[in-house]
Amino acid sequence: MIEKFISPGDKVEMKSTVNVVLPDGTKGIKTYKSSVYDILDEGRLEIVMPKDQTKLVLLPVDGEYDVCFYTHGGMYRADAKIIEIQKINGIYVLVTEMISNLHKYQRREYYRFNCIIEMMAREMTKKETDIYAEGLAELLPQSDMIRGVIVDISGGGARFVSRQLFRESSMILMRFELPILDMEKSFLLVGRVIYSSEIVNRANEFENRVKFELIDSVTREKIIRYIFNEERKNRKK
């Protein structure tokens, strides 16, 4: 199906979704530019191994990336995993497989900021969701929440790792803090689970993606302000 939207030669931008350790020992969130080499079957495609100036960047097998495709039909995004490295006609390529659905990139989407933020979460009942919607979040119990770590966040949602699998489409209560203007601000938000699955080769660890629901514009703006400030700090470094 992806060949309907993506063609060989299309430019791509690959952004690591977790901290990656490269063969040279460097570690962190990195973005690479490359192009599509060929489209395979079953959601797989080959991407030309990216270069840093004239030097090949040897991305690790099993690395996961947020990939943006620049096509004649517009921009598309998907999460992809490197499953193999090959040399074809003298060109090194990354054999990747889609681990999320390909979707049209809308510029109105919120920027996802990579981070490490401790958080607590638990599933909510329908009654609890209604209580939250009425502005009575302080009445909801928080003693039975489980620990997790947010690994990226945006004004629209978050991705976090936990030791619990959540039901897709379920509503969860999330509690975390963000440093804003040199002060720790507490957030108690509701998220709808859009993805939850065990992480490959990491037993009893689950990746979860949520979309913020019932969030007011002031709270959303605080999260965006946090992202903006952290990005500015990173650029200065």
Side-chain angles (χ1 to χ4, degrees):
M1 291 293 291
I2 60 176
E3 63 271 13
K4 293 183 178 180
F5 309 99
I6 301 171
S7 303
D10 286 344
K11 301 298 183 184
V12 302
E13 191 173 83
M14 304 173 63
K15 182 177 181 180
S16 56
T17 58
V18 295
N19 282 337
V20 175
V21 179
L22 300 176
D24 63 3
T26 59
K27 181 178 181 180
I29 302 298
K30 298 181 179 295
T31 301
Y32 307 96
K33 296 183 185 297
S34 187
S35 62
V36 176
Y37 184 80
D38 199 6
I39 308 297
L40 306 178
D41 56 0
E42 299 180 350
R44 298 181 303 141
L45 71 160
E46 295 168 339
I47 296 175
V48 177
M49 188 174 290
K51 290 184 178 181
D52 183 2
Q53 296 181 351
T54 59
K55 185 178 180 181
L56 287 173
V57 180
L58 302 176
L59 300 183
V61 173
D62 290 334
E64 296 181 6
Y65 295 84
D66 175 5
V67 184
C68 183
F69 300 89
Y70 297 84
T71 76
H72 292 297
M75 298 169 60
Y76 291 86
R77 298 182 74 166
D79 288 334
K81 178 181 178 180
I82 298 173
I83 59 175
E84 189 180 356
I85 296 175
Q86 295 183 353
K87 188 176 183 180
I88 303 175
N89 297 326
I91 299 174
Y92 285 95
V93 300
L94 308 170
V95 182
T96 64
E97 66 177 359
M98 300 292 190
I99 56 176
S100 74
N101 292 329
L102 184 71
H103 66 279
K104 190 72 174 290
Y105 175 74
Q106 304 292 339
R107 291 194 179 276
R108 66 176 179 271
E109 288 185 354
Y110 296 101
Y111 172 74
R112 299 196 318 191
F113 176 70
N114 294 287
C115 56
I116 299 178
I117 300 169
E118 297 288 333
M119 52 94 72
M120 305 292 287
R122 69 169 177 83
E123 288 194 13
M124 304 173 68
T125 64
K126 175 63 168 61
K127 182 178 180 180
E128 289 177 327
T129 304
D130 293 340
I131 290 174
Y132 187 97
E134 293 172 3
L136 302 174
E138 68 277 4
L139 299 182
L140 299 176
Q142 301 179 36
S143 58
D144 57 346
M145 304 176 88
I146 60 103
R147 292 185 177 276
V149 177
I150 298 174
V151 294
D152 72 47
I153 190 170
S154 75
R159 182 168 64 94
F160 69 94
V161 175
S162 69
R163 290 190 175 276
Q164 176 178 323
L165 180 71
F166 291 91
R167 294 179 299 112
E168 292 191 17
S169 297
S170 64
M171 304 291 273
I172 65 171
L173 187 66
M174 306 172 61
R175 187 179 76 228
F176 56 89
E177 294 184 345
L178 298 177
I180 302 175
L181 298 178
D182 298 323
M183 294 182 62
E184 291 291 328
K185 299 290 185 180
S186 297
F187 292 82
L188 188 63
L189 301 180
V190 171
R192 182 184 299 277
V193 179
I194 58 177
Y195 175 85
S196 184
S197 180
E198 188 171 30
I199 300 173
V200 178
N201 298 325
R202 290 166 64 180
N204 298 318
E205 288 193 41
F206 301 89
E207 176 186 345
N208 313 282
R209 300 171 189 266
V210 299
K211 177 184 177 183
F212 293 142
E213 301 282 357
L214 305 173
I215 182 172
D216 60 80
S217 58
V218 174
T219 301
R220 196 189 303 276
E221 182 59 34
K222 287 180 180 178
I223 295 175
I224 294 173
R225 186 180 306 134
Y226 155 76
I227 294 171
F228 175 80
N229 290 338
E230 293 301 306
E231 281 285 87
R232 185 171 56 182
K233 290 178 185 177
N234 290 342
R235 286 195 296 268
K236 288 183 178 180
K237 292 179 182 178

